[in-house]
Amino acid sequence: MSIVHSVGPILDQAIAAVLNRAGFGDTVSVKAALNLVRQAAPDLVASNDDLTEAILEVAAALGLFVAFDDNEQYPLNPA
């Protein structure tokens, strides 16, 4: 029995549509991608962990780097 949950091909396509805005080799923010996906699909029941995994898989397939900034507590550039 697998504990891995698939978010499904439709959601993978939605994530790809969001990430396709970035160019090859760019860095994408997990936090921003999660927000965009949640805005595009407000009734989505997938957890942030499931979505983060899907974002990572799609980003890797598109040749993108991923910034795991979803749980940041401090700004990267404090004033």
Side-chain angles (χ1 to χ4, degrees):
M1 181 170 157
S2 175
I3 60 170
V4 175
H5 302 284
S6 175
V7 294
I10 304 270
L11 188 53
D12 280 341
Q13 291 174 0
I15 292 170
V18 168
L19 297 184
N20 272 329
R21 300 175 187 169
F24 183 84
D26 284 350
T27 301
V28 295
S29 158
V30 168
K31 182 185 245 178
L34 283 172
N35 287 335
L36 288 170
V37 170
R38 294 267 183 218
Q39 287 174 7
D43 296 330
L44 185 65
V45 295
S47 71
N48 279 356
D49 288 342
D50 290 338
L51 289 175
T52 299
E53 181 179 351
I55 289 166
L56 177 61
E57 290 173 0
V58 173
L62 295 174
L64 303 172
F65 295 98
V66 178
F68 293 93
D69 57 351
D70 186 42
N71 293 321
E72 267 186 21
Q73 296 179 5
Y74 305 102
L76 291 176
N77 297 319

